[in-house]
Amino acid sequence: QATRAGSGTSSAPSAAAGRSSLVFDPGAYTESTITIKDPDGVAHEVVYRFHKVASYVAKPVDAAYQSLNVSVPVWIDGAAVDATDAPILLANAIGGYMPSSVANNTGIVASGMGGGTSRQALALAAGYVVVEPGARGRTLIDATGTYYGTAPAAIVDLKAAVRYLKSNKGRVPGNVHRIVSSGVSAGGALSSLLGASGDSPLYDPYLKAIGAADASDAIFAVGAWCPITDLEHSDAAYEWCWGDNPLGSGAQVDPAISRDLKVAYGDYLASLGLRAKGFGRLTARNLDEYLLKTHIEPSATRYLAALSDTDRAAYLSANTFITWSGGRAAFSWADFLTHAGARKKNAPSFDGFDLATPENNLFGTGTTKARHFTLYSLRHENGDSARLDADVPAKLDLMNPMHHLVEDLNRNRSKHWWIRLGTKDSDTSLSVAGNLSARLTTLGDDVDTAYYWDAGHGADQDPGAFIKWIAEVSG
Ligand code: DHB
């Protein structure tokens, strides 16, 4: 049995940990008390230990990003807590594929979005260990003008953080076989990618280059909110979903471009060969029905069922496209899209012709800030014979969970998935999370997917349920 965290004596570094710099020191922490409001609004007093790990790799490119913090509850409401075997929430704070640093954090931040409690704090108050990893991101540039945080840096860093934890099994508090990743948007994309790509050898050269610990990077479970993923198909997916919706200005996007991309989505869906119960093979023709019946109508049903009779009646009279019968909401895809309103992004939404999107920068390399990563946008700008840079296809695979779930099916993927998305989130197509969910379900994984009715980008409407789910799946 390994030394308990904070007992004051650390066990000898094991051979598995390799380099001494990658050995977690259970005795190095600061202890503080934090008041955490649970999802029911009840305040809990939590005493916890906060460990700062200067770097989770032996050869950091930039330790300001390649570092992590570990928070361990020791007392909750006056009762001693033993987190030795607790699940570990690996909560990334990545947004926009930007760099994310935790190096200056001095503790858990209790407040989360919209005045609520942060997911980390909820996890801590539930007795879980919380690990907050930093990661490199797309805008980082060194003195020579070289971009060092573009793809696949962020996923390589998250994998290195997992390897660090696993190589410190028994020293780091918590059960390293119960690592549950969480993230929102780009962070949700990376969370799902981390789960899908566990132990894939494709990342080995990158992990080796930064001196990652020699251990598994497979994780137990994934929480992903509005994952902005499957990037090389996102322009097509977007036009398939939001193609006819106006921009915020009221203007329509270029119809020829929208149509080209929408047609391309049909080809992509055919190549994916997704299936869903009651729908058979998912194609550009039935994907809308799949999303509607499996995710979007149930979302409206949950929303309406939770309202008082008066509020429900008011909502229904303001939204007459919804038929409410037998406690269920029903409507057409076309009416739903009209209700969803303006699309957030122009066409193409991700691989911008002008190379100005976050994703163009994500696929930058060397001293090149931004590149195309779809043939469609590349050829629109550079002519029909233009080819993607030779390194781009492999980097797309490194960034896309679907690659690891379809073309190169990964047995060491996470088997437990929590997927959430707002029905008015037009940062990407509503089909991106739906496809991910359909594929995982077909694979037999444990998938809990829900869309939040009328919610926009970044919504998390059932934070307490996620915390409970962690306990359920980890048990
Ligand atoms: C995020 C949002 C986007 O619209 C996008 O293209 C990439 C990332 C985000 O919020 O992280």
Side-chain angles (χ1 to χ4, degrees), residues 94-97 184-187 228 344-345 350 358-359 427-428 457:
I94 296 165
Y97 290 103
V184 182
S185 196
I228 303 282
K344 187 160 176 180
K345 298 182 176 184
F350 291 83
E359 288 76 16
D427 274 56
T428 192
H457 192 58

Side-chain angles (χ1 to χ4, degrees), residues 183-275:
V184 182
S185 196
L190 288 159
S191 185
S192 49
L193 178 60
L194 190 65
S197 69
D199 289 339
S200 165
L202 295 181
Y203 303 84
D204 285 349
Y206 296 96
L207 288 160
K208 196 170 171 163
I210 57 175
D214 186 11
S216 165
D217 55 63
I219 58 168
F220 180 71
V222 170
W225 288 260
C226 52
I228 303 282
T229 195
D230 200 3
L231 297 173
E232 66 269 42
H233 306 107
S234 291
D235 292 332
Y238 202 96
E239 298 315 313
W240 173 85
C241 183
W242 305 117
D244 295 332
N245 286 42
L247 290 160
S249 63
Q252 296 292 134
V253 301
D254 184 321
I257 291 164
S258 184
R259 188 180 4 112
D260 284 351
L261 288 167
K262 188 170 179 166
V263 168
Y265 198 52
D267 298 341
Y268 173 54
L269 283 171
S271 78
L272 275 178
L274 301 176
R275 310 187 67 84

Side-chain angles (χ1 to χ4, degrees), residues 46-101:
V46 179
V47 179
Y48 73 105
R49 292 178 180 165
F50 187 70
H51 303 260
K52 289 196 78 69
V53 172
S55 185
Y56 50 70
V57 290
K59 294 185 274 181
V61 179
D62 190 338
Y65 298 94
Q66 296 167 306
S67 68
L68 60 78
N69 299 326
V70 181
S71 296
V72 186
V74 288
W75 295 89
I76 300 177
D77 296 331
V81 172
D82 179 358
T84 309
D85 283 319
I88 298 173
L89 179 69
L90 180 70
N92 80 62
I94 296 165
Y97 290 103
M98 294 289 281
S100 176
S101 176

